[in-house]
Amino acid sequence: MGNKKRIGRSYWSNIWEKFKRNKLAVFGLIFVCILILLGISAPWLAPYPYDEVHYEAVWTPPCREFLAGTDQLGRDIFSRLLYSLRNAIIVGLGAQSLIVVIGLTLGLIAGFYGGKTDNILMRIVDIVYSFPSYLLNIILVLVLGRGYFSIFVAIAATGWAGMARLVRGQTLSTKSRDFVEAARASGAGNNRIMFRYILPNIIGPVIYSIFSGIPGVMLVESGLSLIGLGVRPPMPSWGLMISEGTGQFLYNPYMLLAPAGMLVLTILSFNFVAFGLRDALSARE
Amino acid sequence: MEDKILISVKNLKKYFSRGKDIVHAVEDVSFNIRRGETLGLVGESGSGKSTVARLIIRLIDTDGGNIIFDGVDITTLSEKALKPFRRRMQIVFQDPASSLNPQMTVGTIIKEQFLIHKLGTKQEQEKWVEELLEKVGIDPSFKDAYPHEFSGGQQQRICIARAIALRSEFIICDEPLSSLDVSIQAQIIKLLEDLQKELGLTYLFISHDLAVVKHLSDSIAVMYLGKLVEFSNKKDLFSNPLHPYTITLLSSVPTIKGEEKEVELKGEPPSPINPPEGCPFNPRCPKKEDICERETPILEEICEGHFVACHIVQR
C-alpha cells in the first residue's frame, strides 16, 4: 500500500483491469461496439433501401454493386443484413431491458424481504420457469400481433424469471454479509441498504447475465422470424433471411451464409464479452 | 457516574427454528455492564456469544427477556424509536474484510454514519472522517482508497473508526482479533484500550482467547451452550474459578512450562438443538451428580459479585 499511485482503485477499475487482460473478451467488446454502431447507422450506411427490388438483378452473387449479392427479388442482401442487425439489436436490448427491470425489482424484493413475499414471488418464478418458453413466445406473438413491442413482451414474459432468481440469490447472500449488518446496526433504512449496499454489490453478475442473455434473445427473435412470426416483412431479419436462404443453398449459398455468418459473429462476440466479464468478476485478489 | 450501569440484560432468550428442530441459541442470559468498563464474554464456538451481541444491538429480535440501555428498555422499540439508540451503540465484527462495503471508499464508509443520522455539513463530515482516521492510526490521505487496498489490521482499524464515528458510548467487539495476526492483535488491543481511556467507552468484548480477555476485561462472563455459567470480576474468576467448565477452560490455556493439565475436557459440546436435561454441562462434567441431570442450575451469587450456575458449587 506504500505506493500512493495505486490508491483509490475501485472494485470496478479492478474488474476492468482483469477484463482487459482477456484478449478475446476485449476483441468481443470492440466488435459489439462496432455492431451497435452499424445497427444504429444502418439507414445511412445501407447502399439501398431494404425493400427496394431490382428485377433486373435477382440472385446476383456478391459483386461491386451488391456487396453481398441479391435475393430472389433482387434486394440488396448487404443492406438487408444491416437492417437485420439493427432489428436484432433493438430486440436484444429492448427485451433485455424489460427483463432486467422486472427481474431485478422482483428478485431484489424477494431476496431482501424474504419470508412470505419471497415464497410467493419465487413460486411464480417457478411456474414461469417451467413453461416451455418458445411455445409461450409463439402464442404471445400470435395474440399480441407482430411487431417490436409484442416480441419484447413475449421474450420478457418468460425471460425475467431467470433474472429474478439470480438477483434473489445474490441479494440473499449479500444481505447476510457483515457490512450490511453494520449498516443496519447504525440505523440505515431499508432503502439505503438496498440501493447503497446491496445493489452495487450484485450488479456485476447482473451485467454478466445481461450480456450472456442478449444472444439468446436474438436467437429467439431469429427463431420466431424463421417461422414467420418475427418482425413484419418486408422488414428483414436474420431468421427470415436464413429461411429464405436454405432453399437456395445449393445454387446461391451466399444467401444462407451471409445472414448465418452475421448471426454467429454477433452471438459469439456478445458471448466473448460475457465470458470475459464472468472471469473478471469471479477472480479474487 | 462511574458505577452507573450502562447496559443491563435480563433473561435474554433466543431460539432459532431449523425445520422441526428448535435451536436453543441463548437461554436466560443476564448481566450488567457498568459505564466505562469492559465485560469479556467467553465460550466455545456455538455457545451463543455472537447471538447475544446481535440481540443486544437489535440486529435480531429477542424471544424473551429485556435489554435495558441507559435506563431505557430497548427490547421491543420500533426501528424508528431505536434510531437515537443506534447512535449510541456500535459493533465491530470478526472479519474486517467483509464488514466494509467493497464498493465504497473508506472515507465514504465512515461518512455514511453521518449521512444516516444527518449530522454536519459536507465540510464538517470530511473533517470528521479525517480526524477519525487519524485517531485510529490510518493516514487520512488514504480516505479515497478502497477497503481491499488495506491489510487486515488496517481494515479492522477502519471498522473501529466507523464504530466510534457517532461518539457511541457502547461498543460490542465480536471477536475482533480472531482473523488477525498475533502482532497485529496487540496493536488493535492497544488501540481499543487507548480509545476506551480517551472516550470513556464501554465494551462488550467477545472472544475465545482467554489471555486477551484477561488483559482487557473488568469482569468476565462465561457462556456454555447458550447459558451463562459463571459471571465475576476478572480477579476472582482467574484466581478462584468455581464452575467446573470455567476450571477446565482456564486449565486448557497452554503454559510455557508445559505442565500436566489438571482437568481435561472430554467430548464435544452437546447440540443446542436438543440440549441435555438439567445442567447443560452435565454430559462432560467431571463432578457430575444425579441432581445435575434433573434440575437446571440457576445463576446464584456465591460471594460478592461472583455468580455461578452449578449445583455442586452452590451447596
Side-chain angles (χ1 to χ4, degrees), chain B residues 70-96:
Chain B
D70 203 10
V72 183
D73 190 334
I74 60 163
T75 325
T76 51
L77 285 187
S78 69
E79 194 57 47
K80 207 178 155 196
L82 199 61
K83 208 167 174 184
F85 292 98
R86 293 253 187 244
R87 258 185 83 172
R88 301 176 62 188
M89 47 188 194
Q90 285 288 311
I91 186 163
V92 175
F93 291 106
Q94 175 174 2
D95 181 8

Side-chain angles (χ1 to χ4, degrees), chain B residues 4-113:
Chain B
K4 208 178 157 197
I5 287 166
L6 179 64
I7 192 143
S8 161
V9 168
K10 284 185 185 141
N11 300 17
L12 209 56
K13 291 184 180 73
K14 182 69 194 176
Y15 308 116
F16 295 109
S17 55
R18 186 169 293 168
K20 274 182 200 164
D21 300 322
I22 290 169
V23 181
H24 299 244
V26 175
E27 196 133 29
D28 267 331
V29 168
S30 310
F31 55 76
N32 298 326
I33 310 176
R34 280 194 292 270
R35 200 181 279 277
E37 293 200 341
T38 302
L39 173 71
L41 188 58
V42 293
E44 286 168 288
S45 35
S47 59
K49 304 181 302 263
S50 292
T51 310
V52 169
R54 272 154 222 259
L55 285 170
I56 292 177
I57 206 142
R58 284 289 313 274
L59 278 174
I60 46 180
D61 286 325
T62 54
D63 288 327
N66 300 85
I67 304 150
I68 293 147
F69 184 83
D70 203 10
V72 183
D73 190 334
I74 60 163
T75 325
T76 51
L77 285 187
S78 69
E79 194 57 47
K80 207 178 155 196
L82 199 61
K83 208 167 174 184
F85 292 98
R86 293 253 187 244
R87 258 185 83 172
R88 301 176 62 188
M89 47 188 194
Q90 285 288 311
I91 186 163
V92 175
F93 291 106
Q94 175 174 2
D95 181 8
S98 75
S99 35
L100 300 169
N101 188 344
Q103 306 284 358
M104 289 182 181
T105 63
V106 298
T108 313
I109 286 172
I110 296 171
K111 203 160 62 183
E112 276 286 292
Q113 301 285 58

Side-chain angles (χ1 to χ4, degrees), chain A residues 1 4 6-12 14 177-179 181-182 184-188 192 196-197 200-201, chain B residues 54 59 86 90 93 98-99 101-103 108 112-113 115-117 142 144-146 148-150 162:
Chain A
M1 212 192 85
K4 250 190 162 178
R6 281 176 56 88
I7 289 305
R9 279 184 37 202
S10 72
Y11 175 78
W12 288 109
N14 268 334
R177 284 170 73 184
D178 286 344
F179 65 82
E181 298 256 275
R184 279 219 294 135
S186 298
R192 184 175 208 95
R196 275 180 75 83
Y197 289 83
N201 281 293
Chain B
R54 272 154 222 259
L59 278 174
R86 293 253 187 244
Q90 285 288 311
F93 291 106
S98 75
S99 35
N101 188 344
Q103 306 284 358
T108 313
E112 276 286 292
Q113 301 285 58
L115 294 173
I116 290 168
H117 291 276
F142 289 142
D144 292 325
Y146 285 84
H148 66 88
E149 294 172 302
F150 291 92
R162 171 175 62 188

Side-chain angles (χ1 to χ4, degrees), chain B residues 191-249:
Chain B
L191 176 65
L192 287 172
E193 280 181 319
D194 291 348
L195 290 173
Q196 181 165 39
K197 253 180 243 152
E198 189 186 335
L199 306 169
L201 298 175
T202 308
Y203 289 134
L204 172 61
F205 193 90
I206 297 171
S207 180
H208 49 244
D209 186 339
L210 284 166
V212 172
V213 168
K214 187 176 180 180
H215 181 78
L216 273 174
S217 311
D218 297 298
S219 41
I220 291 171
V222 183
M223 275 187 85
Y224 186 79
L225 215 66
K227 289 197 179 75
L228 214 56
V229 295
E230 188 159 359
F231 177 89
S232 155
N233 64 47
K234 171 173 71 179
K235 217 177 107 224
D236 273 359
L237 191 104
F238 278 93
S239 61
N240 180 26
L242 293 175
H243 196 280
Y245 176 64
T246 317
I247 296 170
T248 50
L249 202 62

